[in-house]
Amino acid sequence: MPFVRGDFAVYVPRGASLIDFRPILFIVGILLCTLSIGMFIPALVDLYYGQRDWIVFSAASFVSLFVGGALIMMNRMDNLKINSRQAFILTTLSWLVLTAASALPFAFSDLDMSYTDAFFEAMSGISTTGSTVIVGLDTAPQGILLWRALLQWLGGIGIIVMAIAVMPMLRVGGMQLFRMENSDKSDKAFPRATQIAMGIAMLYLSFTGLWAIMLWWAGMTPFDAIAHSMTTIATGGFSTKDASIGHYDSATIDVIITLGMATGALPFILYLQMLRGQGRALFRDSQVRWFITIAVSIVVGLALWHSETNNVDFLYALRFTSFNIVSVMTGTGYATTDYGLWGPFAVTVFFFVMFIGGCAGSTTCGVKIFRLQVLYEIAKIQLSHMLRPHGVFIAYYNRKPLSEDVTESVLSFFFLFVFCFVVLAAALGAMGLDFITAVSSAGTAIANVGPGLGPIVGPSGNFATLPDGAKWLMSIGMLIGRLEVFTVLVLLFPAFWRD
Protein backbone atom coordinates (compact mmCIF):
# COMPACT_ATOMS: atom_id res chain seq x y z
CA MET A 1 0.00 0.00 0.00
CA PRO A 2 1.31 3.52 -0.70
CA PHE A 3 1.89 5.95 2.13
CA VAL A 4 1.86 9.60 1.07
CA ARG A 5 3.84 12.23 2.96
CA GLY A 6 4.17 15.67 1.38
CA ASP A 7 5.17 15.26 -2.26
CA PHE A 8 6.51 11.73 -1.85
CA ALA A 9 4.83 8.33 -1.98
CA VAL A 10 6.49 5.53 -0.08
CA TYR A 11 5.55 1.90 -0.62
CA VAL A 12 4.98 0.04 2.64
CA PRO A 13 4.85 -3.78 2.37
CA ARG A 14 1.73 -5.47 3.69
CA GLY A 15 2.12 -6.27 7.39
CA ALA A 16 4.90 -3.74 7.88
CA SER A 17 4.60 -0.46 9.72
CA LEU A 18 6.26 2.77 8.75
CA ILE A 19 9.05 3.76 11.12
CA ASP A 20 9.70 7.48 11.43
CA PHE A 21 13.42 7.85 10.76
CA ARG A 22 13.51 11.61 11.38
CA PRO A 23 14.43 11.47 15.09
CA ILE A 24 16.94 8.71 14.33
CA LEU A 25 18.69 10.71 11.61
CA PHE A 26 18.50 13.88 13.68
CA ILE A 27 20.41 12.26 16.56
CA VAL A 28 22.89 10.62 14.16
CA GLY A 29 23.50 14.09 12.74
CA ILE A 30 24.27 15.46 16.22
CA LEU A 31 26.69 12.59 16.85
CA LEU A 32 28.44 13.20 13.52
CA CYS A 33 28.86 16.89 14.33
CA THR A 34 30.29 15.96 17.72
CA LEU A 35 32.70 13.54 16.04
CA SER A 36 33.78 16.24 13.59
CA ILE A 37 34.73 18.49 16.50
CA GLY A 38 36.77 15.64 17.95
CA MET A 39 38.71 15.33 14.69
CA PHE A 40 40.10 18.84 15.16
CA ILE A 41 42.10 17.66 18.19
CA PRO A 42 44.41 15.26 16.28
CA ALA A 43 44.52 17.81 13.44
CA LEU A 44 45.97 20.39 15.83
CA VAL A 45 48.39 17.81 17.23
CA ASP A 46 49.62 16.91 13.74
CA LEU A 47 49.97 20.60 12.91
CA TYR A 48 52.02 21.12 16.08
CA TYR A 49 54.34 18.20 15.26
CA GLY A 50 54.63 19.21 11.59
CA GLN A 51 52.77 16.16 10.22
CA ARG A 52 50.90 16.45 6.92
CA ASP A 53 47.94 14.44 8.15
CA TRP A 54 46.42 17.55 9.74
CA ILE A 55 44.94 18.21 6.28
CA VAL A 56 43.34 14.75 6.26
CA PHE A 57 41.77 15.27 9.69
CA SER A 58 40.53 18.73 8.71
CA ALA A 59 38.94 17.40 5.50
CA ALA A 60 37.35 14.45 7.31
CA SER A 61 36.05 16.85 9.98
CA PHE A 62 34.49 19.08 7.32
CA VAL A 63 32.81 16.11 5.58
CA SER A 64 31.42 14.79 8.90
CA LEU A 65 30.23 18.26 9.89
CA PHE A 66 28.56 18.81 6.52
CA VAL A 67 26.75 15.45 6.54
CA GLY A 68 25.82 15.77 10.21
CA GLY A 69 24.58 19.34 9.77
CA ALA A 70 22.50 18.31 6.74
CA LEU A 71 20.88 15.49 8.72
CA ILE A 72 20.06 17.89 11.55
CA MET A 73 18.55 20.52 9.25
CA MET A 74 16.47 18.03 7.24
CA ASN A 75 15.11 16.16 10.25
CA ARG A 76 14.42 18.87 12.84
CA MET A 77 11.40 18.16 15.02
CA ASP A 78 9.53 20.23 17.58
CA ASN A 79 9.06 17.30 19.94
CA LEU A 80 11.86 14.73 19.79
CA LYS A 81 10.67 11.35 21.05
CA ILE A 82 11.72 7.84 20.11
CA ASN A 83 10.08 4.49 20.79
CA SER A 84 11.83 1.18 21.44
CA ARG A 85 12.03 0.17 17.76
CA GLN A 86 13.57 3.50 16.85
CA ALA A 87 16.02 3.13 19.75
CA PHE A 88 17.22 -0.24 18.44
CA ILE A 89 17.77 1.21 14.97
CA LEU A 90 19.43 4.34 16.35
CA THR A 91 21.87 2.39 18.49
CA THR A 92 23.15 0.16 15.68
CA LEU A 93 23.00 2.83 12.97
CA SER A 94 24.87 5.41 15.04
CA TRP A 95 27.69 2.95 15.76
CA LEU A 96 27.98 2.07 12.06
CA VAL A 97 27.83 5.65 10.79
CA LEU A 98 30.33 6.93 13.35
CA THR A 99 32.69 4.06 12.50
CA ALA A 100 32.42 4.79 8.77
CA ALA A 101 33.22 8.47 9.38
CA SER A 102 36.00 7.70 11.87
CA ALA A 103 37.69 5.48 9.28
CA LEU A 104 38.26 8.39 6.88
CA PRO A 105 41.40 9.77 8.61
CA PHE A 106 42.93 6.28 8.64
CA ALA A 107 42.10 5.65 4.97
CA PHE A 108 43.62 8.90 3.70
CA SER A 109 46.54 9.26 6.12
CA ASP A 110 50.22 8.69 5.31
CA LEU A 111 49.78 5.12 6.60
CA ASP A 112 48.21 4.31 3.21
CA MET A 113 45.58 1.95 4.63
CA SER A 114 42.81 0.38 2.57
CA TYR A 115 39.28 1.31 3.60
CA THR A 116 38.80 -2.24 4.90
CA ASP A 117 41.75 -1.80 7.25
CA ALA A 118 40.60 1.71 8.14
CA PHE A 119 37.07 0.52 8.99
CA PHE A 120 38.46 -2.39 11.03
CA GLU A 121 40.73 -0.03 13.00
CA ALA A 122 37.89 2.45 13.58
CA MET A 123 35.45 -0.25 14.68
CA SER A 124 38.09 -1.71 16.97
CA GLY A 125 38.53 1.77 18.43
CA ILE A 126 34.92 2.79 18.94
CA SER A 127 33.97 -0.66 20.26
CA THR A 128 37.02 -0.49 22.61
CA THR A 129 38.20 -3.85 21.27
CA GLY A 130 41.85 -2.93 20.77
CA SER A 131 42.69 -5.20 17.81
CA THR A 132 44.90 -3.40 15.32
CA VAL A 133 46.12 -3.76 11.74
CA ILE A 134 48.70 -0.96 11.96
CA VAL A 135 52.33 -2.03 11.86
CA GLY A 136 54.92 0.50 13.04
CA LEU A 137 53.06 2.33 15.80
CA ASP A 138 56.37 3.58 17.20
CA THR A 139 56.86 5.77 14.11
CA ALA A 140 53.21 6.52 13.26
CA PRO A 141 52.06 10.18 13.14
CA GLN A 142 51.05 11.53 16.55
CA GLY A 143 47.66 12.61 15.21
CA ILE A 144 46.77 9.05 14.19
CA LEU A 145 47.91 7.68 17.56
CA LEU A 146 45.83 10.27 19.40
CA TRP A 147 42.82 9.61 17.14
CA ARG A 148 42.94 5.90 17.99
CA ALA A 149 43.01 6.73 21.70
CA LEU A 150 40.26 9.33 21.36
CA LEU A 151 37.98 6.85 19.56
CA GLN A 152 38.32 4.36 22.40
CA TRP A 153 37.79 7.08 24.97
CA LEU A 154 34.56 8.20 23.29
CA GLY A 155 33.43 4.60 22.82
CA GLY A 156 34.01 3.91 26.50
CA ILE A 157 31.88 6.75 27.81
CA GLY A 158 29.29 6.05 25.09
CA ILE A 159 28.74 2.48 26.25
CA ILE A 160 28.42 3.59 29.90
CA VAL A 161 25.62 5.99 28.97
CA MET A 162 23.96 3.28 26.86
CA ALA A 163 24.19 0.74 29.68
CA ILE A 164 22.50 3.14 32.09
CA ALA A 165 19.97 4.93 29.87
CA VAL A 166 19.21 2.84 26.78
CA MET A 167 19.77 -0.90 27.29
CA PRO A 168 17.69 -1.23 30.48
CA MET A 169 14.79 0.45 28.64
CA LEU A 170 15.18 -1.99 25.74
CA ARG A 171 15.41 -4.97 28.11
CA VAL A 172 18.62 -6.16 26.46
CA GLY A 173 20.17 -9.31 27.89
CA GLY A 174 18.98 -8.80 31.46
CA MET A 175 20.03 -5.15 31.60
CA GLN A 176 16.53 -4.28 32.88
CA LEU A 177 18.02 -5.15 36.28
CA PHE A 178 19.65 -1.72 36.17
CA ARG A 179 16.69 0.36 35.05
CA MET A 180 17.00 3.63 36.93
CA GLU A 181 13.32 4.47 37.10
CA ASN A 182 12.62 1.23 38.99
CA SER A 183 14.96 2.22 41.80
CA ASP A 184 13.90 4.09 44.88
CA LYS A 185 14.99 7.70 44.90
CA SER A 186 17.49 6.95 47.64
CA ASP A 187 19.20 4.43 45.36
CA LYS A 188 19.87 6.99 42.65
CA ALA A 189 23.13 8.86 42.42
CA PHE A 190 21.17 11.86 41.11
CA PRO A 191 17.42 12.34 40.66
CA ARG A 192 17.53 13.09 36.92
CA ALA A 193 19.07 11.23 33.99
CA THR A 194 20.76 14.36 32.64
CA GLN A 195 22.50 14.91 35.96
CA ILE A 196 23.62 11.28 35.96
CA ALA A 197 25.07 11.65 32.45
CA MET A 198 26.88 14.86 33.42
CA GLY A 199 28.17 13.28 36.62
CA ILE A 200 29.53 10.26 34.75
CA ALA A 201 31.15 12.50 32.13
CA MET A 202 32.92 14.57 34.78
CA LEU A 203 34.00 11.45 36.67
CA TYR A 204 35.25 9.82 33.44
CA LEU A 205 37.23 12.94 32.58
CA SER A 206 38.65 13.15 36.11
CA PHE A 207 39.80 9.52 36.05
CA THR A 208 41.44 10.11 32.66
CA GLY A 209 43.30 13.17 33.94
CA LEU A 210 44.38 11.42 37.14
CA TRP A 211 45.80 8.41 35.31
CA ALA A 212 47.55 10.65 32.77
CA ILE A 213 49.33 12.45 35.62
CA MET A 214 50.31 9.15 37.28
CA LEU A 215 51.66 7.66 34.03
CA TRP A 216 53.62 10.84 33.33
CA TRP A 217 55.06 10.63 36.83
CA ALA A 218 55.93 6.95 36.23
CA GLY A 219 58.09 7.81 33.22
CA MET A 220 55.90 8.11 30.14
CA THR A 221 56.12 11.17 27.91
CA PRO A 222 53.17 13.57 28.30
CA PHE A 223 51.78 12.48 24.93
CA ASP A 224 52.03 8.75 25.72
CA ALA A 225 50.61 9.32 29.21
CA ILE A 226 47.50 11.07 27.84
CA ALA A 227 46.94 8.46 25.11
CA HIS A 228 47.35 5.52 27.47
CA SER A 229 45.19 7.08 30.19
CA MET A 230 42.32 7.41 27.70
CA THR A 231 42.59 3.81 26.53
CA THR A 232 43.12 2.49 30.08
CA ILE A 233 40.00 4.03 31.62
CA ALA A 234 38.03 3.06 28.48
CA THR A 235 39.43 -0.50 28.84
CA GLY A 236 40.27 -0.23 25.14
CA GLY A 237 43.90 -1.25 24.88
CA PHE A 238 45.20 0.82 21.96
CA SER A 239 48.83 1.69 22.66
CA THR A 240 51.26 4.07 20.99
CA LYS A 241 53.87 1.28 20.83
CA ASP A 242 54.04 -1.95 18.85
CA ALA A 243 55.14 -3.80 22.00
CA SER A 244 52.20 -2.32 23.93
CA ILE A 245 52.93 -1.67 27.63
CA GLY A 246 55.80 -4.16 27.43
CA HIS A 247 57.75 -1.41 25.64
CA TYR A 248 58.22 0.45 28.93
CA ASP A 249 59.29 -2.57 31.02
CA SER A 250 58.28 -0.74 34.19
CA ALA A 251 56.67 -2.39 37.22
CA THR A 252 55.33 1.00 38.34
CA ILE A 253 53.56 1.60 35.01
CA ASP A 254 52.20 -1.96 35.12
CA VAL A 255 50.65 -1.38 38.56
CA ILE A 256 49.16 2.00 37.61
CA ILE A 257 47.56 0.62 34.44
CA THR A 258 46.32 -2.52 36.20
CA LEU A 259 44.52 -0.33 38.75
CA GLY A 260 43.18 1.83 35.89
CA MET A 261 41.77 -1.16 34.02
CA ALA A 262 40.10 -2.43 37.20
CA THR A 263 38.68 1.05 37.83
CA GLY A 264 37.14 1.14 34.34
CA ALA A 265 35.65 -2.33 34.90
CA LEU A 266 33.49 -1.31 37.88
CA PRO A 267 30.05 0.37 37.68
CA PHE A 268 30.46 4.13 37.29
CA ILE A 269 27.07 4.78 38.83
CA LEU A 270 28.41 3.38 42.11
CA TYR A 271 31.33 5.81 42.03
CA LEU A 272 28.76 8.60 41.85
CA GLN A 273 26.86 7.16 44.79
CA MET A 274 30.09 7.10 46.80
CA LEU A 275 30.68 10.78 45.98
CA ARG A 276 27.13 11.50 47.13
CA GLY A 277 27.89 10.16 50.60
CA GLN A 278 27.21 6.42 50.25
CA GLY A 279 30.79 5.44 51.04
CA ARG A 280 30.22 1.68 50.98
CA ALA A 281 28.06 1.59 47.83
CA LEU A 282 30.82 0.14 45.66
CA PHE A 283 31.70 -2.81 47.86
CA ARG A 284 28.12 -3.59 48.88
CA ASP A 285 27.39 -4.47 45.27
CA SER A 286 27.64 -8.21 44.63
CA GLN A 287 28.94 -7.61 41.09
CA VAL A 288 31.98 -5.82 42.44
CA ARG A 289 32.67 -8.50 45.04
CA TRP A 290 32.39 -11.24 42.42
CA PHE A 291 34.64 -9.35 40.00
CA ILE A 292 37.37 -8.85 42.60
CA THR A 293 37.09 -12.44 43.85
CA ILE A 294 37.28 -13.96 40.37
CA ALA A 295 40.17 -11.73 39.28
CA VAL A 296 42.25 -12.28 42.42
CA SER A 297 41.64 -16.05 42.39
CA ILE A 298 42.73 -16.44 38.76
CA VAL A 299 45.73 -14.14 39.16
CA VAL A 300 47.08 -15.88 42.28
CA GLY A 301 46.42 -19.36 40.92
CA LEU A 302 48.04 -18.69 37.54
CA ALA A 303 50.99 -16.86 39.15
CA LEU A 304 51.68 -19.87 41.39
CA TRP A 305 51.46 -22.20 38.40
CA HIS A 306 53.68 -19.96 36.23
CA SER A 307 56.25 -19.67 39.02
CA GLU A 308 56.44 -23.41 39.63
CA THR A 309 56.11 -24.66 36.06
CA ASN A 310 58.36 -22.15 34.30
CA ASN A 311 60.77 -21.72 37.22
CA VAL A 312 60.42 -17.94 37.61
CA ASP A 313 60.34 -15.81 40.74
CA PHE A 314 56.83 -15.61 42.25
CA LEU A 315 56.78 -11.79 42.46
CA TYR A 316 57.92 -11.62 38.84
CA ALA A 317 55.20 -14.08 37.85
CA LEU A 318 52.63 -12.17 39.91
CA ARG A 319 53.51 -8.87 38.19
CA PHE A 320 53.00 -10.21 34.66
CA THR A 321 50.08 -12.48 35.51
CA SER A 322 48.09 -9.77 37.31
CA PHE A 323 48.57 -7.24 34.51
CA ASN A 324 47.73 -9.57 31.63
CA ILE A 325 44.83 -11.38 33.34
CA VAL A 326 43.15 -8.09 34.31
CA SER A 327 43.83 -6.78 30.79
CA VAL A 328 42.19 -9.76 29.09
CA MET A 329 39.39 -10.18 31.64
CA THR A 330 38.33 -6.54 31.32
CA GLY A 331 38.66 -6.66 27.53
CA THR A 332 41.38 -4.01 27.53
CA GLY A 333 43.92 -5.98 25.54
CA TYR A 334 47.20 -4.43 26.68
CA ALA A 335 50.11 -6.85 26.91
CA THR A 336 53.45 -6.81 28.70
CA THR A 337 54.65 -10.21 27.49
CA ASP A 338 53.64 -13.01 25.12
CA TYR A 339 51.71 -15.18 27.56
CA GLY A 340 51.14 -17.65 24.73
CA LEU A 341 54.67 -18.90 25.44
CA TRP A 342 53.91 -19.80 29.07
CA GLY A 343 52.41 -23.15 28.17
CA PRO A 344 49.11 -24.82 27.15
CA PHE A 345 47.48 -24.34 30.57
CA ALA A 346 48.08 -20.56 30.51
CA VAL A 347 46.74 -20.32 26.95
CA THR A 348 43.57 -22.17 28.01
CA VAL A 349 43.09 -19.87 31.01
CA PHE A 350 43.54 -16.71 28.94
CA PHE A 351 41.12 -18.01 26.32
CA PHE A 352 38.27 -18.51 28.79
CA VAL A 353 39.07 -15.40 30.81
CA MET A 354 38.52 -13.20 27.74
CA PHE A 355 34.79 -13.97 27.85
CA ILE A 356 34.20 -12.95 31.49
CA GLY A 357 34.22 -9.14 31.18
CA GLY A 358 33.55 -6.65 33.97
CA CYS A 359 30.49 -5.16 35.63
CA ALA A 360 27.36 -3.69 34.05
CA GLY A 361 27.60 0.10 33.77
CA SER A 362 31.35 -0.04 33.18
CA THR A 363 33.42 0.35 30.00
CA THR A 364 34.03 -3.41 29.69
CA CYS A 365 32.54 -5.99 27.35
CA GLY A 366 32.14 -9.79 27.39
CA VAL A 367 29.43 -11.79 29.13
CA LYS A 368 29.72 -9.56 32.26
CA ILE A 369 29.74 -10.53 35.89
CA PHE A 370 26.04 -9.98 36.66
CA ARG A 371 25.02 -12.51 33.99
CA LEU A 372 27.37 -15.10 35.48
CA GLN A 373 25.69 -14.43 38.82
CA VAL A 374 22.22 -14.90 37.33
CA LEU A 375 23.31 -18.11 35.58
CA TYR A 376 24.74 -19.36 38.86
CA GLU A 377 21.46 -18.63 40.65
CA ILE A 378 19.47 -20.41 37.93
CA ALA A 379 21.72 -23.47 38.13
CA LYS A 380 21.47 -23.50 41.94
CA ILE A 381 17.67 -23.35 41.77
CA GLN A 382 17.61 -26.20 39.22
CA LEU A 383 19.81 -28.40 41.42
CA SER A 384 17.62 -27.61 44.44
CA HIS A 385 14.53 -28.64 42.47
CA MET A 386 16.17 -31.94 41.59
CA LEU A 387 16.82 -32.64 45.26
CA ARG A 388 13.42 -31.37 46.49
CA PRO A 389 10.94 -31.41 43.57
CA HIS A 390 8.12 -29.86 45.60
CA GLY A 391 10.20 -27.12 47.20
CA VAL A 392 9.82 -23.43 46.40
CA PHE A 393 13.10 -21.72 45.58
CA ILE A 394 13.71 -18.12 44.58
CA ALA A 395 16.75 -16.77 42.73
CA TYR A 396 18.25 -13.55 44.11
CA TYR A 397 20.53 -10.83 42.78
CA ASN A 398 21.92 -8.22 45.18
CA ARG A 399 19.51 -9.50 47.85
CA LYS A 400 16.49 -8.90 45.59
CA PRO A 401 14.37 -11.59 43.89
CA LEU A 402 15.03 -12.09 40.19
CA SER A 403 12.02 -11.72 37.91
CA GLU A 404 11.32 -14.29 35.24
CA ASP A 405 11.90 -11.85 32.37
CA VAL A 406 15.43 -11.13 33.65
CA THR A 407 16.38 -14.81 33.84
CA GLU A 408 14.92 -15.42 30.37
CA SER A 409 16.82 -12.45 28.97
CA VAL A 410 20.11 -13.63 30.46
CA LEU A 411 19.65 -17.20 29.20
CA SER A 412 18.76 -15.91 25.74
CA PHE A 413 21.77 -13.59 25.73
CA PHE A 414 24.13 -16.40 26.71
CA PHE A 415 22.78 -18.68 23.99
CA LEU A 416 23.03 -16.00 21.29
CA PHE A 417 26.49 -14.92 22.50
CA VAL A 418 27.82 -18.49 22.19
CA PHE A 419 25.95 -18.99 18.90
CA CYS A 420 27.48 -15.84 17.35
CA PHE A 421 30.94 -16.89 18.57
CA VAL A 422 30.62 -20.35 16.99
CA VAL A 423 29.30 -18.99 13.68
CA LEU A 424 32.04 -16.34 13.52
CA ALA A 425 34.78 -18.87 14.34
CA ALA A 426 33.46 -21.26 11.68
CA ALA A 427 33.31 -18.46 9.09
CA LEU A 428 36.87 -17.38 9.85
CA GLY A 429 38.01 -20.99 9.62
CA ALA A 430 36.30 -21.26 6.21
CA MET A 431 38.48 -18.36 5.04
CA GLY A 432 41.61 -20.39 5.63
CA LEU A 433 42.61 -19.35 9.15
CA ASP A 434 44.07 -22.07 11.36
CA PHE A 435 42.05 -23.31 14.33
CA ILE A 436 43.77 -21.25 17.05
CA THR A 437 43.71 -18.07 14.96
CA ALA A 438 40.07 -18.52 13.89
CA VAL A 439 38.72 -19.39 17.34
CA SER A 440 40.70 -16.77 19.25
CA SER A 441 39.96 -14.09 16.63
CA ALA A 442 36.25 -14.83 16.92
CA GLY A 443 36.49 -14.73 20.72
CA THR A 444 38.44 -11.49 20.81
CA ALA A 445 35.97 -9.86 18.42
CA ILE A 446 32.73 -10.92 20.09
CA ALA A 447 34.14 -10.24 23.58
CA ASN A 448 35.89 -7.01 22.44
CA VAL A 449 39.22 -8.01 23.96
CA GLY A 450 41.95 -7.10 21.45
CA PRO A 451 44.76 -9.62 21.00
CA GLY A 452 43.98 -13.23 20.24
CA LEU A 453 46.15 -16.31 20.68
CA GLY A 454 48.87 -17.87 18.58
CA PRO A 455 51.76 -16.43 16.58
CA ILE A 456 49.58 -14.48 14.09
CA VAL A 457 47.03 -12.57 16.22
CA GLY A 458 48.54 -13.16 19.67
CA PRO A 459 50.04 -10.48 21.93
CA SER A 460 53.19 -10.31 19.78
CA GLY A 461 51.32 -10.12 16.45
CA ASN A 462 48.39 -8.21 14.93
CA PHE A 463 45.54 -8.61 12.46
CA ALA A 464 47.17 -7.00 9.40
CA THR A 465 47.79 -10.30 7.58
CA LEU A 466 44.18 -11.52 7.82
CA PRO A 467 42.19 -11.50 4.56
CA ASP A 468 39.79 -8.59 3.99
CA GLY A 469 36.76 -10.85 4.38
CA ALA A 470 37.94 -11.90 7.83
CA LYS A 471 38.39 -8.26 8.85
CA TRP A 472 34.83 -7.39 7.80
CA LEU A 473 33.48 -10.42 9.66
CA MET A 474 35.43 -9.45 12.76
CA SER A 475 34.14 -5.88 12.48
CA ILE A 476 30.60 -7.24 12.54
CA GLY A 477 31.53 -9.42 15.51
CA MET A 478 32.93 -6.39 17.38
CA LEU A 479 29.69 -4.49 16.75
CA ILE A 480 27.53 -7.40 17.93
CA GLY A 481 29.62 -7.88 21.06
CA ARG A 482 29.79 -4.19 21.93
CA LEU A 483 26.04 -3.66 21.56
CA GLU A 484 25.15 -6.70 23.69
CA VAL A 485 24.12 -9.02 20.82
CA PHE A 486 20.36 -8.40 20.95
CA THR A 487 20.57 -4.79 19.80
CA VAL A 488 22.00 -5.83 16.43
CA LEU A 489 20.36 -9.22 15.89
CA VAL A 490 16.84 -7.93 16.57
CA LEU A 491 17.10 -5.87 13.37
CA LEU A 492 17.44 -9.13 11.39
CA PHE A 493 14.19 -10.49 12.84
CA PRO A 494 11.30 -9.99 10.35
CA ALA A 495 8.78 -9.39 13.14
CA PHE A 496 10.73 -6.28 14.15
CA TRP A 497 9.65 -4.54 10.95
CA ARG A 498 6.00 -5.60 11.25
CA ASP A 499 3.24 -4.29 13.49
Side-chain angles (χ1 to χ4, degrees):
M1 59 173 289
F3 177 84
V4 180
R5 172 178 288 168
D7 297 325
F8 299 94
V10 180
Y11 180 77
V12 181
R14 185 178 298 275
S17 61
L18 189 68
I19 298 175
D20 188 358
F21 277 85
R22 289 179 299 165
I24 298 171
L25 297 176
F26 180 82
I27 297 173
V28 170
I30 293 175
L31 294 174
L32 273 176
C33 290
T34 304
L35 186 72
S36 71
I37 296 172
M39 289 180 183
F40 274 114
I41 300 175
L44 292 173
V45 170
D46 267 342
L47 191 61
Y48 174 80
Y49 283 101
Q51 302 283 353
R52 294 182 301 171
D53 281 347
W54 73 270
I55 301 174
V56 173
F57 280 106
S58 299
S61 176
F62 174 78
V63 171
S64 300
L65 184 62
F66 176 80
V67 175
L71 289 174
I72 292 172
M73 295 299 294
M74 291 189 298
N75 297 281
R76 292 176 64 183
M77 302 177 65
D78 294 331
N79 188 16
L80 183 65
K81 288 185 179 180
I82 60 172
N83 56 37
S84 60
R85 288 202 299 172
Q86 290 169 323
F88 277 116
I89 298 171
L90 171 64
T91 304
T92 303
L93 183 64
S94 61
W95 233 263
L96 286 171
V97 171
L98 291 178
T99 301
S102 301
L104 295 177
F106 293 121
F108 296 103
S109 69
D110 285 343
L111 296 177
D112 194 28
M113 299 170 66
S114 66
Y115 189 75
T116 295
D117 284 349
F119 189 90
F120 179 95
E121 194 77 13
M123 179 62 79
S124 180
I126 289 181
S127 64
T128 69
T129 301
S131 303
T132 186
V133 294
I134 298 178
V135 179
L137 290 171
D138 300 65
T139 57
Q142 284 83 354
I144 287 292
L145 296 176
L146 184 61
W147 182 233
R148 296 166 80 243
L150 193 59
L151 284 178
Q152 291 203 324
W153 192 80
L154 293 172
I157 192 171
I159 204 64
I160 294 173
V161 173
M162 281 183 56
I164 293 173
V166 179
M167 290 180 180
M169 176 187 73
L170 300 179
R171 307 163 70 86
V172 171
M175 290 297 289
Q176 57 265 43
L177 267 174
F178 309 100
R179 187 178 296 172
M180 293 302 297
E181 62 265 27
N182 281 354
S183 302
D184 295 332
K185 235 175 188 180
S186 58
D187 290 337
K188 295 184 180 180
F190 295 105
R192 294 173 54 197
T194 52
Q195 290 178 306
I196 293 172
M198 285 299 297
I200 287 174
M202 294 304 298
L203 184 63
Y204 193 71
L205 187 61
S206 300
F207 278 148
T208 305
L210 177 61
W211 258 264
I213 292 170
M214 289 193 292
L215 290 173
W216 185 17
W217 168 80
M220 286 190 180
T221 65
F223 178 84
D224 285 353
I226 292 171
H228 284 96
S229 69
M230 288 195 288
T231 56
T232 295
I233 296 302
T235 60
F238 271 160
S239 176
T240 59
K241 307 295 180 183
D242 285 320
S244 191
I245 306 303
H247 170 87
Y248 301 98
D249 192 22
S250 166
T252 304
I253 289 176
D254 290 355
V255 170
I256 291 171
I257 291 182
T258 301
L259 292 174
M261 293 185 293
T263 299
L266 302 182
F268 274 67
I269 196 72
L270 297 183
Y271 293 134
L272 293 182
Q273 290 182 358
M274 290 179 67
L275 293 175
R276 297 280 290 182
Q278 300 180 38
R280 299 175 59 191
L282 189 66
F283 298 102
R284 279 204 308 262
D285 190 87
S286 63
Q287 265 196 110
V288 175
R289 295 198 301 271
W290 270 57
F291 174 81
I292 294 173
T293 302
I294 292 172
V296 170
S297 301
I298 295 173
V299 165
V300 173
L302 188 60
L304 286 169
W305 175 88
H306 184 34
S307 176
E308 293 295 321
T309 304
N310 297 317
N311 196 28
V312 297
D313 180 72
F314 176 73
L315 292 179
Y316 179 88
L318 185 64
R319 169 190 164 187
F320 287 95
T321 300
S322 59
F323 182 95
N324 290 284
I325 284 292
V326 172
S327 176
V328 172
M329 181 173 168
T330 60
T332 307
Y334 284 140
T336 52
T337 186
D338 188 353
Y339 42 77
L341 302 178
W342 292 0
F345 176 71
V347 171
T348 304
V349 171
F350 276 99
F351 176 74
F352 285 106
V353 162
M354 75 168 61
F355 295 103
I356 295 176
C359 301
S362 70
T363 61
T364 58
C365 313
V367 173
K368 290 195 171 65
I369 297 296
F370 86 91
R371 293 194 181 99
L372 296 179
Q373 292 178 267
V374 172
L375 291 172
Y376 170 77
E377 286 292 323
I378 295 171
K380 190 169 69 172
I381 292 298
Q382 185 62 29
L383 288 173
S384 299
H385 271 302
M386 292 176 68
L387 295 174
R388 291 191 290 170
H390 301 293
V392 177
F393 306 97
I394 301 174
Y396 287 88
Y397 173 82
N398 256 349
R399 299 176 296 276
K400 295 180 181 178
L402 282 169
S403 62
E404 189 175 339
D405 68 321
V406 170
T407 58
E408 288 177 354
S409 294
V410 169
L411 288 171
S412 300
F413 171 89
F414 190 74
F415 168 77
L416 288 175
F417 187 90
V418 174
F419 176 78
C420 289
F421 162 69
V422 171
V423 171
L424 183 56
L428 292 174
M431 291 189 171
L433 303 185
D434 63 89
F435 178 78
I436 292 295
T437 303
V439 171
S440 66
S441 293
T444 196
I446 203 75
N448 302 111
V449 174
L453 299 172
I456 299 175
V457 298
S460 59
N462 70 15
F463 295 79
T465 59
L466 267 57
D468 284 356
K471 292 170 185 173
W472 284 108
L473 282 175
M474 286 190 65
S475 296
I476 296 171
M478 293 178 210
L479 179 69
I480 291 173
R482 178 77 276 190
L483 299 185
E484 304 279 0
V485 183
F486 281 98
T487 314
V488 179
L489 297 187
V490 72
L491 302 182
L492 306 178
F493 197 49
F496 176 85
W497 304 97
R498 295 197 298 264
D499 285 329

